[in-house]
Amino acid sequence: MKKIIIAPDSFKESMTAMEACHAIEEGIIKSGNQYQIQMVPMADGGEGTIEAIAQVLPSSFVEVNVQGPLKEKIKAKYLLLPQQNSAVIEVAEACGLNKIEPQDRNPMQTSTYGVGELIKSALEHDVEKIYIGLGGSATNDGGLGLLRALGAKFYDTSGKSIAEVKDLVRLEKIDLSCCFELLQHCQLIVLSDVDNPFTGKDGATYVFGRQKGANQQQLEVWMELSICWEHKCKVVYRRF
């Protein structure tokens, strides 16, 4: 008997990878031909990543209450891999596009804070590695929210605390001491299938900003914000 392996990724905001597997399987069965079918849902770091990994590795899901992309309380889950002493976090679980109605999407208002809360929860399990799957997010805050959830402090030239995306243009100083302390025994590894810098015409802001709800005026403002962010954080990136 011939064998067919069904291995799709998810269809963004339409169906999960597993739902796609079942739909394709149904079509093959309707053809009337006899095949041995194996379903292998795939993921690229975006939504569905933890479910795909859970299909093939001994693991367990952990569900926690976190801050959603619009600062509302939501439930989000991540994956623990006990044999690897690792965890896998999916950014979309905490701040995904699927958490916000299309008319409410605005990357000047959304935050990655919930992702930082997932990281903190995973650290409570004493994992040595945390894999972070990127993709499908409704955010473009340069990790401001994530780092604040881990204890980072952001200040402007007058020493006033910065907590909002729109205020990053005034960024002068970042205190990451709490982050370094939390992560001193754990490695963060990013899972992504793209290689876009944060800034520039080929950067993440311009390439993915519109799907997150940004208009042209916001994209221009974001160029100023992201250039400021990159300039202020060069040393931070190297230290990580």
Side-chain angles (χ1 to χ4, degrees), residues 33-51:
N33 297 311
Q34 297 297 313
Y35 297 105
Q36 180 185 353
I37 299 174
Q38 180 179 355
M39 292 184 286
V40 186
M42 304 292 286
D44 59 1
E47 61 275 17
T49 295
I50 54 178
E51 284 83 1

Side-chain angles (χ1 to χ4, degrees), residues 5 20 48 58 67 98-99 120 126-127 144 178 181 219 227 239:
I5 297 177
Q67 180 176 290
N98 59 339
K99 308 293 184 185
K120 286 185 70 174
D126 295 322
V127 295
L144 170 68
C178 287
E181 183 176 349
L219 290 176
I227 289 171
R239 290 184 66 182

Side-chain angles (χ1 to χ4, degrees), residues 12-97:
K12 189 178 295 294
E13 298 188 75
S14 298
M15 65 175 68
T16 66
M18 184 55 76
E19 289 171 340
C21 281
H22 286 302
I24 296 170
E25 179 191 39
E26 183 179 349
I28 293 172
I29 292 173
K30 285 182 178 180
S31 72
N33 297 311
Q34 297 297 313
Y35 297 105
Q36 180 185 353
I37 299 174
Q38 180 179 355
M39 292 184 286
V40 186
M42 304 292 286
D44 59 1
E47 61 275 17
T49 295
I50 54 178
E51 284 83 1
I53 294 173
Q55 294 288 323
V56 295
L57 290 176
S59 56
S60 61
F61 286 106
V62 178
E63 187 176 74
V64 293
N65 293 314
V66 300
Q67 180 176 290
L70 289 175
K71 303 179 182 179
E72 75 283 22
K73 283 296 180 182
I74 64 170
K75 290 186 180 297
K77 62 182 182 294
Y78 60 92
L79 194 66
L80 282 180
L81 305 174
Q83 293 184 2
Q84 290 78 20
N85 197 21
S86 302
V88 185
I89 287 173
E90 193 177 295
V91 166
E93 270 288 311
C95 58
L97 281 170

Side-chain angles (χ1 to χ4, degrees), residues 130-149:
I130 298 178
Y131 296 88
I132 303 177
L134 304 182
S137 75
T139 57
N140 196 51
D141 69 355
L144 170 68
L146 183 159
L147 290 170
R148 287 187 61 247

